[in-house]
Amino acid sequence: MTAIDDALADALGRLRELDLGDTFEPRAAEATVLSGLHALVVPESVGGLGARMAEAAQALMAVGAVDGATALGFAMQVHVVGALVDSVAVPVGLRDRVYRAIVVDGALVNNAATEEGGGSPARGAVPGTTAVAEADGTWRLTGEKTWTTWLPNLSHVFVTARVADADPAEVGVWLVDLAADGVGRHPGFEAMGMRGSASGRLVLDGVRVPADALLARRRVDEPEPRGPAPGAWFGIAIAATYLGVGEGARDAVARWARDRRPGDGSSSVADVPSVQLRLGRADADLRAARIVILDVARRWDEATAGDDAAGLAAAAADVPFAKLVATRAAVAATDEALRIAGGPGFLAGSLERAFRDARAGLINPPLEDVAMTGFGRAVFERVGPGAG
């Protein structure tokens, strides 16, 4: 077994010992740190486990099969660090500081971009949170962020804010130590799924950050200076998380059907042909999605290793497709699981929770309508201009 295998097995063992459900369990986040899995994507050269995208995706699938909310929180750590590893134009000192905080201090990190009423960052929403430049080179951040997953256990966040008084408008991303003065952590709201993820509200009241905490800055009409890595890592991490939820529901209902022997006990639910059909249909969707996710992730890894810009662009272009098929497979599989289990599946428990958790993937970017529109445009580009 590799160091990654050992850390994953340790983390999964710790998670299975917890009574995980719809309330946040801080020990779930702690399990990733105690096992060392929190350093999954940090390079080996600085003390991490050195996982690449494909290995990280497989780890997230495994965690998602045990508990979706924990996998979602851990996915934030994975995609943020993965983007730091693979992005261009990232300040070396800032990158190394985050690595060191994770390896030495057990830091847990996330991005904080979404705001109440502000629209989706994935659709280009300009944040209301402001960053004011001080005369001494520091910045002061003020605003409120929503959907900040694992907020109670986070030590750092990368906050997206607009640069005050900039004309044309500019946005930037700053690393914020959540132990700083002016930081407030508040509960979120009762969502349909992923309730145990503690996706809360982060309030920043004139929080001072040093000049070297700036990760990236651009005009709102300019492309992301870090390249495709942030979007690629986020999309694959989300896809793997929700696929794991679907795979966990498939396996759980299969075990239930195998052990459930109604009537005289001469046969089990697993012997019913319609149950086998439903389970097979769910399995086919999930296996197809797993193949797609890992194919895209491996192509990304190969292109990164070969410094192949065209390969990176091609892999990044397929990330929305991977996320789409993964969430669709998870939604379909959890639906089939409830149909197989019948009444018992609708009682509060792992199958019912997986049914709700899988549907949270529908609101995570890349969003389905955006992805489908992009696919359609790509088809028109391939067939070329029309006659006349």
Side-chain angles (χ1 to χ4, degrees):
M1 291 179 65
T2 67
I4 294 173
D5 294 331
D6 289 339
L8 178 59
D10 187 356
L12 295 178
R14 293 174 186 272
L15 291 175
R16 291 188 178 104
E17 292 175 354
L18 301 175
D19 184 19
L20 299 171
D22 276 336
T23 57
F24 177 61
E25 172 53 83
R27 291 176 295 174
E30 292 167 4
T32 66
V33 177
L34 293 172
S35 65
L37 194 64
H38 73 301
L40 178 65
V41 187
V42 175
E44 286 185 283
S45 60
V46 292
L49 296 177
R52 295 298 306 147
M53 186 182 281
E55 294 168 308
Q58 289 174 301
L60 283 167
M61 293 172 195
V63 176
V66 174
D67 182 62
T70 300
L72 184 62
F74 182 50
M76 302 302 107
Q77 178 92 349
V78 167
H79 89 79
V80 169
V81 180
L84 282 179
V85 174
D86 286 353
S87 289
V88 298
V90 173
V92 174
L94 182 59
R95 178 188 277 138
D96 291 343
R97 191 190 322 164
V98 175
Y99 291 166
R100 186 166 55 252
I102 293 170
V103 173
V104 177
D105 302 324
L108 294 175
V109 301
N110 195 356
N111 288 341
T114 305
E115 299 180 356
E116 184 69 25
S120 170
R123 295 181 188 267
V126 177
T129 299
T130 57
V132 176
E134 300 289 332
D136 61 359
T138 62
W139 296 85
R140 284 197 178 273
L141 304 183
T142 300
E144 181 174 326
K145 300 295 186 177
T146 58
W147 296 101
T148 310
T149 303
W150 264 10
L151 182 57
N153 279 58
L154 296 179
S155 58
H156 299 76
V157 292
F158 282 102
V159 174
T160 303
R162 60 182 173 85
V163 178
D165 301 324
D167 185 20
E170 295 183 21
V171 295
V173 181
W174 287 263
L175 177 67
V176 176
D177 185 334
L178 294 186
D181 293 337
V183 172
R185 310 185 201 212
H186 303 280
F189 39 85
E190 194 75 358
M192 183 182 80
M194 294 295 187
R195 294 177 181 174
S197 67
S199 295
R201 294 183 298 115
L202 174 67
V203 177
L204 306 168
D205 185 8
V207 177
R208 185 186 291 271
V209 296
D212 61 2
L214 179 61
L215 173 64
R217 180 177 177 179
R218 63 176 176 86
R219 282 179 20 179
V220 295
D221 58 350
E222 292 177 336
E224 167 60 66
R226 291 172 289 170
W233 273 95
F234 181 82
I236 290 297
I238 288 296
T241 293
Y242 287 101
L243 182 65
V245 172
E247 291 178 337
R250 173 199 61 196
D251 295 349
V253 80
R255 289 190 292 268
W256 176 87
R258 179 197 61 200
D259 297 337
R260 181 87 164 185
R261 308 185 76 85
D264 63 4
S266 60
S267 62
S268 71
V269 172
D271 296 321
V272 178
S274 62
V275 168
Q276 295 170 1
L277 174 63
R278 289 191 179 280
L279 188 63
R281 192 156 50 203
D283 182 60
D285 288 343
L286 292 168
R287 283 196 289 149
R290 176 177 274 261
I291 289 170
V292 171
I293 292 172
L294 293 180
D295 173 71
V296 174
R298 286 169 180 147
R299 287 194 287 118
W300 174 271
D301 291 340
E302 290 168 1
T304 301
D307 197 21
D308 178 3
L312 285 174
D318 283 339
V319 168
F321 177 63
K323 189 266 180 176
L324 176 71
V325 297
T327 50
R328 283 187 167 187
V331 166
T334 54
D335 183 82
E336 294 286 16
L338 283 197
R339 292 174 186 273
I340 290 170
F346 281 81
L347 301 176
S350 63
L351 287 181
E352 174 266 343
R353 187 168 63 253
F355 179 87
R356 290 185 287 105
D357 285 350
R359 280 147 183 81
L362 300 175
I363 65 169
N364 284 124
L367 299 174
E368 184 167 318
D369 62 331
V370 175
M372 288 294 195
T373 301
F375 300 160
R377 284 199 301 263
V379 172
F380 283 123
E381 290 171 2
R382 287 199 301 270
V383 300

